[in-house]
Amino acid sequence: MDLLIPYGDLKGELVSPGDIRLRRGKNCGAVCPDINCKKPLTLRDGGRTVTHFAHPPSETGEYSCNGETALHQRMKEILQVKNHGFFLFLYVTKK
């Protein structure tokens, strides 16, 4: 299952929904990692699905972020802080 918001930002650290430092519900402590959003996230406790992050309902019903964008932006931040290049090798297998 692909999560729309696969990671949350907890005090500057990317965390997964299963991180034990998070509280369940509206006040989980994480915010959206997208630099254009940074809105508080809700941690939903699976039930029939997997535990996942979600934006609380908005007045307009629209958000300008998604998980892929957030991860991409975070990698750019990490590379800028490290200030050096590296090679990334990916190994992809077919199911």
Side-chain angles (χ1 to χ4, degrees):
M1 174 181 184
D2 291 333
L3 300 176
L4 293 178
I5 308 173
Y7 298 98
D9 182 333
L10 182 65
K11 300 177 184 170
E13 178 185 350
L14 285 181
V15 294
S16 69
D19 193 294
I20 61 171
R21 296 172 290 173
L22 298 170
R23 298 177 302 277
R24 300 288 185 247
K26 293 180 184 177
N27 299 315
C28 74
V31 297
C32 181
D34 191 302
I35 61 173
N36 297 316
C37 182
K38 295 293 185 189
K39 293 189 180 352
L41 294 173
T42 297
L43 184 58
R44 295 192 178 156
D45 194 15
R48 288 189 271 176
T49 61
V50 309
T51 301
H52 62 281
F53 289 114
H55 282 109
S58 75
E59 293 177 14
T60 62
E62 304 220 356
Y63 291 95
S64 63
C65 59
N66 63 48
E68 184 176 355
T69 300
L71 291 175
H72 182 231
Q73 289 171 345
R74 185 67 177 150
M75 274 309 294
K76 287 183 359 185
E77 290 172 14
I78 290 169
L79 289 174
Q80 289 172 355
V81 169
K82 297 291 183 189
N83 200 19
H84 58 68
F86 66 92
F87 291 100
L88 177 65
F89 295 94
L90 297 176
Y91 181 72
V92 180
T93 60
K94 292 184 178 181
K95 288 185 177 184

